[in-house]
Every structure is written in structure tokens, then in C-alpha cells.
Amino acid sequence: MSAVDVVAFTATPKRSGSSISQRIWRLAVSSTEFRIGLVVFVLLALAAAIYPEASGIDPTHMNVRARLLEPLFIGDHWSIAHPLGTDQIGRDMLVRCLVGLRYSFLIGVATVALMLAVGCALGMLAGYYGGMVDTLIMRITDAQLSIPMIILAIAVLGVSRPTIPAIILVLGLSSWPVYARVMRSVVMNERGREYVRAAQIMGASNLRIMVGLIAPLVIPPVIFVSVLDIARMMIFESVLGFIGLGVQPPTPTFGNIIADGRKYLLDAWWIATMPGVFLCLTLTSINLMGASLERARHRIFGGLA
Amino acid sequence: MEILSFLARRIAQGLVIVFLVSGLIFTLLRVVPGDPVRLMAGGMAPEALINEIATKMGLRDPIPIQFMRYMGHVVRGDLGESFVRPANGASTGGSSFDDSTRGARAKVLDLIGETLPMTLQLAGVAVAMALVISALIGIPGGLAPGRWPDRLAFYVSSVFISLPNFWLGIVLTLLLSVKLGWLPAIGYGGFAYTLLPAFVLAVELSPVLIRTLTGSLASIMQEPFIAVGAVRGLSRRRIIANHALRNASVPLLNLLGVQFSGLLGGVLIVEYIFDYPGLGLLTINAVLQRDFPLIQGIAIVTSAIFVFINIAVDLAATMIDPRLEY
């Protein structure tokens, strides 16, 4: 979220019949890039939702006789039952990748929901009240933005047990400042408008104005931007898994499978490579959708690009 | 004169940020469970001894008191000594508690001083690569909005941003280093060892740069002064190089300042993958070993660099575009 974004965000939207968020959505969905992303994402999501149970293969089931099978049609040591091969103790790679995808996506979505909630609430307070509240909240965001969140995450997860709620909490609480900043600048812009002043004159409480009037107007575009952050958080989740601070084995996650496969890289390249391909495909599909939304928002708001 | 008051104001703000960061990290490290003295003294040390060492080091005092004492040393330029690293190399953690061969502990400032240049070299090469990649893909995209170079820029940035750095590092090592033998990858033994990690970082940095460059260049090409340039008889090449790119570089520069902490996060992982002896690797090890003074020292130094870079970026931006105010 650069300074450019903030400027584009605060620029006066061109008002017309349907709401701004509807117009952003429609413009984004009409682009080829969004549709490609959507198709890839739906296919991957369906596979992740159905295949692990449908195939009846347990992602943690070991089978020493079927160890280190290669992916289909590559080399001469493969089996039709394990399309992407097996790892060093005979666990099915395809099922492990798909189960990893589930964890990765769910953690990503939950994390983004948390950071949206915290960031929007604090940004709203800072933008609406201004003054001391604003200064305090903004200095905290400054400080937090200058520490790489990954250091924070490692520091906390390194000592507390990395359970799923802990991971969501740490990732979510270390990346809300960006949202607080965007919300603040948008809300500051709204604060001076007639409808807000009218509500104040009619005696509406501050809480009611913030939650009932401003929030419905400014939050939907912020949610569109947050799609990109789902992908970013999924990467962070995999990084944590990779350095051993993510969801712990035997639960398969992209990070811990890749960390595992790295030890066998020279003999079995597919163990470390396949989860990365899945992760990368998923992230690309989400990023294509998110970037299309972002671009549509820029166009509607009359900002740059 | 104006510039001096700008500098004074920004440096004062910067000090506040550094102070807040130190406070945040200091508190966080002491609130989360895990006793560093246990790691220092070794697993077999009796409880009484651990308490004795902890009390002697002041680790049982209230956090605000510990913090003020610590900041008092920092102001005098003393970042303290590492809990676990001896001055002469190997880690002391885990050895027996009454081991007399343990020498003096390393100074935090020395540890940072040894590794920081390595990381600056890596970061410098990475930023240079990222700028080249972004220019090659972003400039054609910005000059042809809506047409294929623009779409290409959109797809490339979407794919680049989707490549997890640690995975890309592993795959490139396997391909370029192990299979083809073109580049060295693991450890450090000369400048060539910087290239592969720097490229991985550049791939991570470039998507946002590409997108910003494409967007700002496209909108600048709509400005009247570009059309006027053609009327004045300037060649298209000259208009783009001297007028459009110069204006488009300002948001790019601001972005580099903002991205610094993201770059640092990337450096951490990339140095870990490639076993590159820089600040990132030092940080990961410090965190895993609960080396409080080292983590705090690194946090202070990096946030100071962050503040410095952002001031430098703002200064450079006003030099490129004199309309900007301090």
C-alpha cells in the first residue's frame, strides 16, 4: 500500500446510480485476468475440498514399499495410485499438497479477517477523532511498520507453541497497520462531508456515525484490496512452516513439506518442488483476482492507472 | 535553512520511532514465555544457580526498570553483550553450566558490524536487479496501457508476487547450482555467491515496483507537458527519458523507502536458505536462541536504518521533483 494508493483512495469518487463497490466489482469481474484467476482458483479449491476424502488416502499414512515414487510418466518408477509420487516414507504427495492447501487458505483468510477488523477499527478511531487519539495510533503504526513482521512472528512463535490460533493471531496482529493507515485517510476525508455533519446536528452518537454511516461506505473497497493480502499471508504461513514455526507435523502444510523435501532434494526433487507448484498456482490465481479488483478500484476512483 | 529544520524534525521523529520499536521488542521478548538463562546455563543447571545468574544480570527486575537501564547504555553507544555467543566464534549455548573454557561473550555491536556490510551488499545488488527487471517490464507496459505489454506486466507481476522466496531459492539452487553448475549458492566465498540470493530477493521486490512504474508512467503520458514536448520538437525517446521517467521515478523512490522492512523480512529468509552470513541469518539464530541483547540491538539498528533511508528517500525525491515540499 503505497502513498500513491492512499491518494487514489481519498480522491473523490465519481458518484452515479449503483454503489461504488458494485461498480468496482463489475469492472473487475469483466476482465480476462480476473476470470483466469477465478477458474484456476475454483479448480484448485474443488480438488482440495473433494480429493483427499474421495481418494480415501490418509495424508499421514506411511507405506515403506511405495516410498520415493516419482510423479506420473516421469522416470520409470511411478504408480497410477500416486499421481504426484510419494515422499521418503511413502506418503502420497497429491493428498498432502491438497490438505496443505486447505490449511494455508483457511489460515490466510482468518488472518486477513483479523487484521481487517483491528486495522479498520483503529483507523476509524484515528481518522474520526483526530488529535491525540490519531497521533497515538499513528505513532504505533509507524513503529510497527518499521519492524519486519516476520521477525515479530518468529520471536513470538519461537517460544510459544505454534498452534493454528497462535499463528493467526501473530500474523494478524503484526500486519494491521497498513489497514489502519488507509482507513484513517479515507475516514478523515469523509468526516468533513455534509452527511456526517447532518447526522451530528441531528444528534447521532459518534459510534452510530462511525459504524452506521461511514463504515458501510468505506469498508467494501478496503475488503477488495485485502484479497491480495490473503495471498501474502499464505506466503508468510508457508515461510513459518518452512522454518519449523508453523503448524506442526504430521499435519502437512506447504512449508513443512518443502522443509522436509529439501533434505532429499538431490534424490527426490519432487517432494520440495510439488508443494511449491501448488502454492504458486493458488497464489497466482488469488493475486490475479486481487490485482484486477485493485486496478478496477483505481479506475473507478479516478486515480492513477 | 529550510532543509536543516526539515532534517532536525525528521531526525527527532525518527528517534521517537526507534525508541518505540525498542520498547515494543523489549517488552515482547520478556512477556512471552521462555527463559534465556536456562539456555545460557545449560539444561542441567540447578534452579538456584539459574535464579542467581538471572538476578545478577537484572533479569528479575520489573520490565520498565530493565528497559530504562538498557536504554541508558544504548544512549552511550553500548548495545550490550550477546547472551550466548562468545567473542571467539562458536556458540556457548547448551554446554555444561560449569564449563570454564567459555570465554568472554561477544559484543552485540561487533556482531552487527561484522554482518551488516554483507547484508547491505546483498540488498544493494537485489535492489539494482529489481530496478532493472522493473524497468524492462514496467516501462513498455506504462507506454502501452491496455495493450499486450501492459498485460504482460500485469501477469508477470502477479506471478512474481506468487513465488514464495524460500521455494524459489531451493528450486533455483537445484537448477542453476546443482544441475547446471553455473552459480555457487550456499555459504559465502566471493561476490558470485551474492548473485543467486540477490536474484531471489529481486523477484520478491519487483512486482510492486513494476505495478507502480506502469501505473504512474501511464498517467504521466497523459499529461499536457508530454504532448507539448512533441510540439517543441523533442524526440519521443528524449520525452520519455527526460520528462516522463523522471516524474515516474518519484513514486518509485517513495516505494523503495516503504518496502525496506519488507526487504529485510525477505533478507532473513533468503540468507537462511542460502546460509549467507549476513544480518538476517544472525537475526534468525538470535531469535531461535532467545538472545535478548542481540535481538534488541538488531531491532534498534534496523529501525534506525529504516528511518535514515526514509529521510534519504524524501531528500532525493525533492531533488528530482523540486515542487515537492520538505
Side-chain angles (χ1 to χ4, degrees):
Chain A
M1 199 72 52
S2 65
V4 182
D5 286 313
V6 178
V7 172
F9 223 113
T10 49
T12 313
K14 297 170 191 138
R15 309 258 175 196
S16 75
S18 52
S19 84
I20 298 160
S21 11
Q22 282 168 347
R23 288 170 53 211
I24 294 176
W25 175 252
R26 254 181 266 137
L27 182 61
V29 170
S30 68
S31 70
T32 324
E33 291 85 0
F34 187 94
R35 291 178 179 170
I36 293 176
L38 187 66
V39 169
V40 174
F41 181 76
V42 167
L43 288 177
L44 284 165
L46 281 178
I50 298 168
Y51 186 78
E53 273 76 28
S55 66
I57 301 173
D58 181 348
T60 57
H61 176 74
M62 296 178 247
N63 180 0
V64 186
R65 271 182 299 174
R67 64 191 290 272
L68 294 181
L69 289 178
E70 295 172 288
L72 273 190
F73 311 122
I74 296 173
D76 44 23
H77 188 58
W78 47 268
S79 150
I80 202 84
H82 303 289
L84 291 186
T86 55
D87 68 4
Q88 73 281 2
I89 45 179
R91 293 176 295 192
D92 183 75
M93 284 306 297
L94 180 57
V95 171
R96 284 174 72 71
C97 287
L98 289 174
V99 173
L101 178 56
R102 283 183 191 173
Y103 281 101
S104 172
F105 184 69
L106 292 180
I107 291 177
V109 170
T111 305
V112 169
L114 179 66
M115 61 198 246
L116 264 177
V118 177
C120 286
L122 289 175
M124 175 73 88
L125 289 176
Y128 188 79
Y129 287 109
M132 279 298 289
V133 181
D134 183 31
T135 313
L136 182 70
I137 293 177
M138 282 305 109
R139 287 295 87 78
I140 298 177
T141 64
D142 282 343
Q144 212 172 68
L145 281 174
S146 68
I147 320 172
M149 62 167 288
I150 197 78
I151 294 189
L152 269 180
I154 295 172
V156 176
L157 291 175
V159 283
S160 55
R161 247 170 58 83
T163 57
I164 293 177
I167 293 167
I168 293 172
L169 212 62
V170 166
L171 289 181
L173 290 184
S174 52
S175 40
W176 57 268
V178 181
Y179 286 94
R181 283 195 168 181
V182 175
M183 268 302 273
R184 169 181 176 265
S185 65
V186 187
V187 171
M188 279 179 120
N189 194 47
E190 294 294 317
R191 189 178 53 179
R193 297 210 176 194
E194 289 86 356
Y195 76 94
V196 174
R197 256 181 291 159
Q200 281 168 340
I201 293 167
M202 283 190 282
S205 69
N206 286 329
L207 183 69
R208 178 153 177 198
I209 294 174
M210 284 191 277
V211 177
L213 290 177
I214 303 181
L217 206 64
V218 297
I219 289 185
V222 178
I223 291 179
F224 289 154
V225 185
S226 74
V227 172
L228 287 173
D229 269 325
I230 297 179
R232 223 164 55 88
M233 290 303 129
M234 287 172 70
I235 290 196
F236 277 123
E237 188 272 335
S238 68
V239 167
L240 288 177
F242 181 73
I243 50 182
L245 299 176
V247 181
Q248 295 299 300
T251 306
T253 64
F254 287 131
N256 69 34
I257 305 175
I258 294 174
D260 224 20
R262 192 182 176 209
K263 299 171 207 150
Y264 303 91
L265 197 59
L266 296 184
D267 309 310
W269 55 270
W270 59 92
I271 304 177
T273 313
M274 287 303 171
V277 173
F278 266 91
L279 178 56
C280 193
L281 270 178
T282 316
L283 295 173
T284 307
S285 71
I286 295 175
N287 278 322
L288 281 175
M289 291 189 282
S292 306
L293 280 166
E294 169 104 10
R295 188 175 55 183
R297 201 204 71 208
H298 271 292
R299 290 204 183 133
I300 301 275
F301 274 80
L304 297 164
Chain B
M1 271 302 100
E2 206 182 338
I3 191 167
L4 281 182
S5 76
F6 162 79
L7 277 179
R9 202 177 66 233
R10 288 295 299 268
I11 289 171
Q13 283 175 359
L15 287 177
V16 173
I17 291 182
V18 173
F19 186 79
L20 280 176
V21 168
S22 322
L24 206 67
I25 290 275
F26 198 90
T27 317
L28 202 70
L29 286 175
R30 279 157 181 77
V31 172
V32 292
D35 191 350
V37 181
R38 173 64 65 187
L39 275 172
M40 291 166 66
M44 301 299 280
E47 200 61 41
L49 181 71
I50 288 186
N51 271 325
E52 189 194 316
I53 298 177
T55 314
K56 205 161 68 187
M57 293 176 67
L59 288 170
R60 293 289 185 265
D61 297 335
I63 293 173
I65 293 182
Q66 289 189 42
F67 181 59
M68 291 325 289
R69 190 192 304 140
Y70 175 70
M71 288 314 279
H73 287 288
V74 170
V75 170
R76 277 172 273 153
D78 176 15
L79 289 179
E81 290 172 345
S82 161
F83 276 175
V84 287
R85 280 164 187 269
N88 55 10
S91 168
T92 56
S95 60
S96 124
F97 63 92
D98 50 1
D99 185 353
S100 60
T101 60
R102 240 188 280 175
R105 290 182 283 135
K107 288 220 173 303
V108 168
L109 210 53
D110 293 344
L111 288 171
I112 295 177
E114 283 161 22
T115 50
L116 188 60
M118 296 295 294
T119 295
L120 289 181
Q121 176 182 332
L122 177 62
V125 177
V127 169
M129 283 184 180
L131 285 175
V132 171
I133 295 174
S134 317
L136 286 178
I137 294 168
I139 293 176
L143 292 177
R147 283 184 285 143
W148 71 263
D150 186 24
R151 282 169 186 267
L152 181 73
F154 189 88
Y155 283 113
V156 168
S157 58
S158 292
V159 172
F160 274 15
I161 209 168
S162 305
L163 291 165
N165 52 16
F166 65 96
W167 181 74
L168 186 64
I170 292 174
V171 171
L172 287 182
T173 309
L174 182 66
L175 267 177
L176 298 180
S177 192
V178 178
K179 298 267 188 235
L180 298 171
W182 287 352
L183 281 173
I186 308 299
Y188 189 81
F191 183 72
Y193 285 81
T194 318
L195 295 176
L196 212 46
F199 179 72
V200 172
L201 277 175
V203 167
E204 192 180 351
L205 279 176
S206 54
V208 193
L209 298 181
I210 292 176
R211 223 158 256 176
T212 310
L213 187 59
T214 315
S216 59
L217 191 56
S219 72
I220 283 164
M221 291 307 282
Q222 305 290 320
E223 297 274 337
F225 67 82
I226 298 293
V228 170
V231 176
R232 280 165 59 205
L234 301 175
S235 68
R236 185 169 163 80
R237 177 187 293 265
R238 177 115 184 253
I239 293 173
I240 292 170
N242 287 9
H243 298 265
L245 282 182
R246 179 167 173 160
N247 281 286
S249 60
V250 172
L252 212 60
L253 207 60
N254 284 326
L255 199 60
L256 276 180
V258 176
Q259 275 207 313
F260 172 76
S261 71
L263 175 67
L264 213 66
V267 163
L268 220 69
I269 301 303
V270 166
E271 287 187 1
Y272 175 71
I273 297 285
F274 289 99
D275 203 23
Y276 184 92
L279 197 60
L281 195 61
L282 186 71
T283 310
I284 289 221
N285 287 331
V287 170
L288 295 179
Q289 292 171 328
R290 313 278 301 134
D291 196 343
F292 287 179
L294 192 50
I295 302 173
Q296 279 150 209
I298 292 171
I300 289 179
V301 170
T302 50
S303 57
I305 296 176
F306 178 79
V307 166
F308 171 77
I309 285 185
N310 276 295
I311 296 176
V313 159
D314 285 352
L315 275 181
T318 52
M319 260 180 248
I320 295 177
D321 187 347
R323 288 169 304 177
L324 294 173
E325 286 175 15
Y326 291 119

